[in-house]
Amino acid sequence: MFDIYTIIFLALAVFIFMRLRSVLGQRTGRERPPYDPYSRQDPAKAPAGTDGRSDKVVNFPERPGEAVTAPSGPVEADADEPATPRWSGVADIGSAVANGLDAIAAQEHGFDVQHFLTGARSAYEMIVLAFANGDRRALKDLLAKDVYDGFSAAITERETRGETMETRFVAIDKADIIDAQVKARTAQITVRFVSQLISVTRNAGGEVTDGDPETVADVTDVWTFSRDLGARDPNWKLVATEAAA
C-alpha cells in the first residue's frame, strides 16, 4: 500500500507534467529547424511572400552615397601595358649582358642579379681594404688562387720595403655589369666599379711615397667574378682585375 506522502508526490508529478504539456505543446515532426543567425539562407528554399522575399526579413535602406564593394581579388595587368624587362636597370633587352644573365639564370635557379651586385659592392670594398691592410687571410676567401698569389706578392714587396698603406672609402658611386657569360658550368660576371677613396702609402719613416692623405681620388676598376653554377658554395670569387681610365 502507498502511504499518504507517496500519493501526494505522484499527484504533484502528474499535475506538473500536464502543465508543461499545455505550455510547450507536442512535437509533430513538422517543426522548423532551430534558427542559425550566421547561416546563409537559400532563397530557393526560403518561405516567400508576394514579392518573392521572406516575410520575416526586414531590408535596411542603403546609406546615401554608399556603394557596394566587390570582393577583392588578383588584379590582372593591362594587356596593352608592356611587361617589365627581366634585367631592368641592369642590362638592355637583347644586349650581350642580358643574354649572358639569361644563360646564368637558366642554369642557376633563383639567381638574383640585384643580390649579386650588392655582394659585389661589399666584396670590392672588403678586398681593397684587406689589400691595404695586408690581410691575407681575408683575401684568400675572396680571391681565386692566381689572383690571390698576385695580391700576396704585392703585399710581400711592400712589407719588404717597410711601407704601409692606408685606404679609406668615401663612396662607391657605381657598380655596373659590363659582361656576363657562362663557360661550361662556370659563370663569369664583369663589373665596372666607380668609387671615391683616399689612399696613401708611407715609407718606414712615415713619409708619404704615394697618394695624398687629404685628397679624394676617383678610381675606376674592372673586376671579374666567377662561380661554378650548381655548387653548394654560393660565394663568387674574384678571378681578374684591371684598372680603367
Side-chain angles (χ1 to χ4, degrees):
M1 294 181 64
F2 297 101
D3 57 27
I4 186 63
Y5 295 106
T6 300
I7 294 173
I8 292 174
F9 283 124
L10 285 174
L12 182 60
V14 171
F15 174 77
I16 293 174
F17 173 76
M18 294 301 295
R19 292 290 296 173
L20 288 174
R21 182 182 179 87
S22 64
V23 173
L24 300 178
Q26 302 181 50
R27 295 187 61 84
T28 64
R30 301 178 60 185
E31 295 80 4
R32 294 183 179 181
Y35 172 66
D36 182 357
Y38 300 102
S39 67
R40 297 183 60 184
Q41 190 173 21
D42 186 351
K45 297 180 181 179
T50 56
D51 60 353
R53 301 179 182 176
S54 170
D55 54 8
K56 299 292 185 181
V57 177
V58 178
N59 294 306
F60 292 95
E62 295 181 357
R63 296 177 181 176
E66 185 177 44
V68 178
T69 303
S72 60
V75 179
E76 297 183 359
D78 190 341
D80 297 330
E81 183 178 348
T84 302
R86 186 178 191 181
W87 311 116
S88 177
V90 176
D92 295 331
I93 298 176
S95 65
V97 172
N99 293 336
L101 293 175
D102 284 338
I104 294 173
Q107 297 191 43
E108 184 75 9
H109 178 69
F111 172 70
D112 186 334
V113 70
Q114 294 298 340
H115 179 74
F116 166 82
L117 284 172
T118 299
R121 293 169 71 99
S122 297
Y124 175 66
E125 184 172 352
M126 290 173 61
I127 291 170
V128 170
L129 294 179
F131 174 72
N133 296 329
D135 189 348
R136 293 180 176 83
R137 183 175 181 179
L139 292 172
K140 198 166 188 177
D141 294 333
L142 299 169
L143 312 179
K145 185 179 184 305
D146 55 344
V147 178
Y148 170 79
D149 290 343
F151 275 51
S152 181
I155 293 173
T156 299
E157 291 178 5
R158 192 172 65 210
E159 292 172 340
T160 301
R161 294 192 298 267
E163 295 177 339
T164 58
M165 188 176 183
E166 303 168 6
T167 299
R168 179 166 59 88
F169 271 92
V170 176
I172 299 178
D173 297 326
K174 293 182 180 179
D176 299 325
I177 296 177
I178 60 174
D179 186 51
Q181 56 184 299
V182 177
K183 297 180 179 179
R185 289 285 296 171
T186 301
Q188 289 189 349
I189 299 180
T190 302
V191 183
R192 178 189 289 115
F193 296 98
V194 178
S195 63
Q196 296 180 352
L197 54 83
I198 297 173
S199 184
V200 59
T201 301
R202 302 178 187 273
N203 60 20
E207 298 174 342
V208 175
T209 59
D210 188 28
D212 188 332
E214 305 297 332
T215 301
V216 177
D218 295 324
V219 179
T220 300
D221 289 308
V222 177
W223 287 13
T224 300
F225 298 88
S226 177
R227 179 176 178 271
D228 291 335
L229 298 175
R232 291 185 177 182
D233 184 0
N235 295 320
W236 294 72
K237 289 195 173 184
L238 180 64
V239 297
T241 66
E242 62 177 292

